[in-house]
Amino acid sequence: MELDVSGARIFYTFPFDIPILGKITINETLVVSWIVMAIITIACIILTRNLKVENISKRQALAEMIVEMANNFVVGNMGEKFRYFIPFVSALFATSLISNLISLIGLRSPTSDLSVEAAWAVVVFILITRQKIKTNGFGGYLKDFTTPIFVMTPFNILSELATPVSMACRHFGNILSGIVINGLIYGALAVASSALFGLIPGAVGDFLSKIPFLSVGVPAVLSVYFDWFTGFMQAFIFCMLTVMYIANAAETEE
Amino acid sequence: MQQVQDLVTIIPWNFVATICNLLIQMYLIKRFLFKPINEMLAKRKEAADAEIRDAEKAKTEAEAIKAEYEQNMLEAKERANEILSNAQKTAALQSEEVVREANRQAAAIKAKAESDIAQEKRKAVNEIKDEIGGMAVEIAGKVIEREISEADHAKLIDEFIANVGDAS
Amino acid sequence: MDFTVLAKGIALAGCAIGSGCALIAGIGPGIGEGTAVSKALEAIGRQPECRGTVTSTMLLGCAVAETTGIYGFVTGLLLIFVAPNMFMNFLG
């Protein structure tokens, strides 16, 4: 039995090195995330075709509902002055959701590569820090680390850094655990089916035991949890935490 | 054998590419989803606003018309009241005039009647005087026929009458 | 006697044992989430009209509580898939 739990495949490696970035590669993560972007963009274009002021179609109603939901989500959790975060949060949510769900059609989720989540978390972390500096001023931001007493500074820095790490690891861990468990189950079911059909004597049994029949239906049940539920939940939670952290950063102490 | 990445690793190139992807995605979503929808919503809001504004305008006009109508009604009523009060005043004046005239006439009539009565009375008194004088003369003539001359006779009568006049 | 093989063996064994131990971290979130869900159910039972808010807040809280478990899981994965290669490279 071969258990296939590995990282993203690398399709092509450019033969030159760039000092900081290291080797530039075209790998599965990037390709699938481009596919995700294409899907989202095409969906947006299709949804917003033939917009009308009156007598709207179902498609337009759906598009309006999505926009309204995004508006309500951001404005409801952050307040009116953060309206300009709506496209960012929507992009984050859409990319995360489609990336998580794309494993349903057999592609490898870009979100099962820690680089992706780390990048998102770092962007969010930069936004949070920017908001904090904007609210308290740079001095106030630095002073915030020494509260309640000066000795706590290292712990405050650690807890500050824990935010992006925990956000990235949470999302990544949930998606990757789905992939690992799915891989284990596929492997186990392949072994089980080959053992089961291997009982048939002769060439027929040999032939049938090569095909993992049992892996047709059973993993679908698990995919409901690991793909649909986890995928949706993690996208939602990532955006929710982003919104909450930024809104918290905007609240002044006084 | 195909090359694979490690399962748990952060590759700088993927990291940077993902940030770029996220920003591009943000722009795309803003451009293709939010911009058209928001424009459309703004247009719809505009249309609704225009409708509301029209309705408001119509309402204002109707109210203006109503106010004008009420004003007119009020004026008309005022005029009617004025006319009525004028008429009443005039009527009162006239009636007073009439009453005063009547009073005056009555007074005049009364005065005339009184003067008439006084005249009649005087006349009657004179007549009675004359009559009584005549009668007295007659009676006296009958009583003392010859003893009194004609002159004495008249003198006596005059005295008598004077007495009678005083007595009356 | 070649101690390198022994060292590799010890390193691999340590990785395997460590990853097994790391997954003990799953206990905490399990208990915590169970408590959270039971409290949320109580809240919904008491005030059914708050169902939506309670549910979404509970899911958010669960996800946050799950973080420690996920840390354990990631550590386990690191010990299984990354650390052995590192040790092998290190030991030659």
Side-chain angles (χ1 to χ4, degrees), chain C residues 3-74:
Chain C
F3 283 105
T4 322
V5 180
L6 186 61
K8 281 181 184 174
I10 291 174
L12 284 180
C15 287
I17 293 170
S19 71
C21 291
L23 290 182
I24 293 174
I27 296 173
I31 295 170
E33 280 174 30
T35 314
V37 173
S38 82
K39 292 287 175 193
L41 286 178
E42 274 175 22
I44 292 174
R46 214 179 305 122
Q47 287 171 297
E49 67 274 9
C50 293
R51 184 194 183 92
T53 323
V54 169
T55 310
S56 64
T57 314
M58 179 200 77
L59 286 175
L60 189 69
C62 280
V64 174
E66 214 173 36
T67 312
T68 50
I70 295 297
Y71 285 162
F73 172 74
V74 172

Side-chain angles (χ1 to χ4, degrees), chain A residues 166 169-170 173 176-177 233 237, chain C residues 59-60 63 67 70-71 73 77:
Chain A
S166 76
C169 282
R170 179 181 305 124
L176 190 66
S177 67
M233 267 327 284
I237 283 162
Chain C
L59 286 175
L60 189 69
T67 312
I70 295 297
Y71 285 162
F73 172 74
L77 281 183

Side-chain angles (χ1 to χ4, degrees), chain A residues 51-117:
Chain A
L51 288 182
K52 279 174 286 186
V53 175
E54 280 162 358
N55 286 334
I56 58 173
S57 56
K58 270 182 191 162
R59 193 157 39 82
Q60 188 181 343
L62 180 66
E64 280 176 24
M65 203 183 77
I66 292 170
V67 171
E68 279 298 309
M69 271 164 68
N71 285 353
N72 287 343
F73 182 74
V74 174
V75 174
N77 285 311
M78 298 171 85
E80 193 63 37
K81 62 178 174 167
F82 287 109
R83 227 161 220 295
Y84 60 97
F85 269 113
I86 292 171
F88 174 73
V89 175
S90 323
L92 202 56
F93 183 78
T95 316
S96 175
L97 182 66
I98 305 295
S99 297
N100 295 342
L101 293 185
I102 207 162
S103 61
L104 285 173
I105 59 171
L107 294 168
R108 188 190 166 81
S109 291
T111 40
S112 61
D113 186 341
L114 186 55
S115 315
V116 174
E117 276 98 347

Side-chain angles (χ1 to χ4, degrees), chain A:
Chain A
M1 147 188 169
E2 187 160 328
L3 183 55
D4 178 33
V5 181
S6 60
R9 283 196 294 276
I10 295 172
F11 297 128
Y12 180 73
T13 307
F14 286 100
F16 48 83
D17 264 358
I18 288 179
I20 305 164
L21 299 184
K23 283 223 176 342
I24 288 196
T25 57
I26 302 293
N27 52 49
E28 216 174 350
T29 305
L30 285 184
V31 172
V32 178
S33 67
W34 289 332
I35 294 173
V36 168
M37 284 170 70
I39 289 174
I40 294 171
T41 310
I42 289 169
C44 287
I45 292 172
I46 289 175
L47 277 177
T48 57
R49 225 173 36 190
N50 285 333
L51 288 182
K52 279 174 286 186
V53 175
E54 280 162 358
N55 286 334
I56 58 173
S57 56
K58 270 182 191 162
R59 193 157 39 82
Q60 188 181 343
L62 180 66
E64 280 176 24
M65 203 183 77
I66 292 170
V67 171
E68 279 298 309
M69 271 164 68
N71 285 353
N72 287 343
F73 182 74
V74 174
V75 174
N77 285 311
M78 298 171 85
E80 193 63 37
K81 62 178 174 167
F82 287 109
R83 227 161 220 295
Y84 60 97
F85 269 113
I86 292 171
F88 174 73
V89 175
S90 323
L92 202 56
F93 183 78
T95 316
S96 175
L97 182 66
I98 305 295
S99 297
N100 295 342
L101 293 185
I102 207 162
S103 61
L104 285 173
I105 59 171
L107 294 168
R108 188 190 166 81
S109 291
T111 40
S112 61
D113 186 341
L114 186 55
S115 315
V116 174
E117 276 98 347
W120 293 346
V122 164
V123 171
V124 172
F125 180 67
I126 290 169
L127 286 175
I128 294 169
T129 309
R130 194 191 119 225
Q131 191 60 48
K132 274 186 179 166
I133 292 175
K134 213 169 159 188
T135 311
N136 298 326
F138 192 65
Y141 171 68
L142 289 181
K143 221 178 96 189
D144 227 29
F145 282 112
T146 60
T147 51
I149 50 171
F150 183 73
V151 190
M152 293 295 281
T153 308
F155 301 102
N156 281 332
I157 291 173
L158 260 185
S159 81
E160 193 76 9
L161 288 179
T163 305
V165 172
S166 76
M167 277 176 87
C169 282
R170 179 181 305 124
H171 196 164
F172 168 71
N174 272 291
I175 302 303
L176 190 66
S177 67
I179 285 180
V180 169
I181 291 171
N182 258 350
L184 290 174
I185 283 172
Y186 270 109
L189 285 176
V191 170
S193 71
S194 80
L196 193 63
F197 290 102
L199 295 177
I200 300 169
V204 183
D206 276 351
F207 176 69
L208 283 181
S209 66
K210 294 258 166 45
I211 306 168
F213 283 108
L214 282 181
S215 30
V216 170
V218 181
V221 182
L222 287 163
S223 128
V224 169
Y225 178 77
F226 283 115
D227 289 332
W228 284 105
F229 180 72
T230 307
F232 189 81
M233 267 327 284
Q234 290 311 312
F236 173 73
I237 283 162
F238 199 90
C239 293
M240 194 74 192
L241 288 176
T242 303
V243 163
M244 291 260 185
Y245 278 130
I246 295 176
N248 268 345
E251 272 169 20
T252 45
E253 297 278 320
E254 289 80 34

Side-chain angles (χ1 to χ4, degrees), chain B residues 79-90:
Chain B
R79 278 250 296 282
N81 276 344
E82 204 177 313
I83 289 168
L84 201 65
S85 71
N86 275 352
Q88 271 173 353
K89 224 183 280 170
T90 316

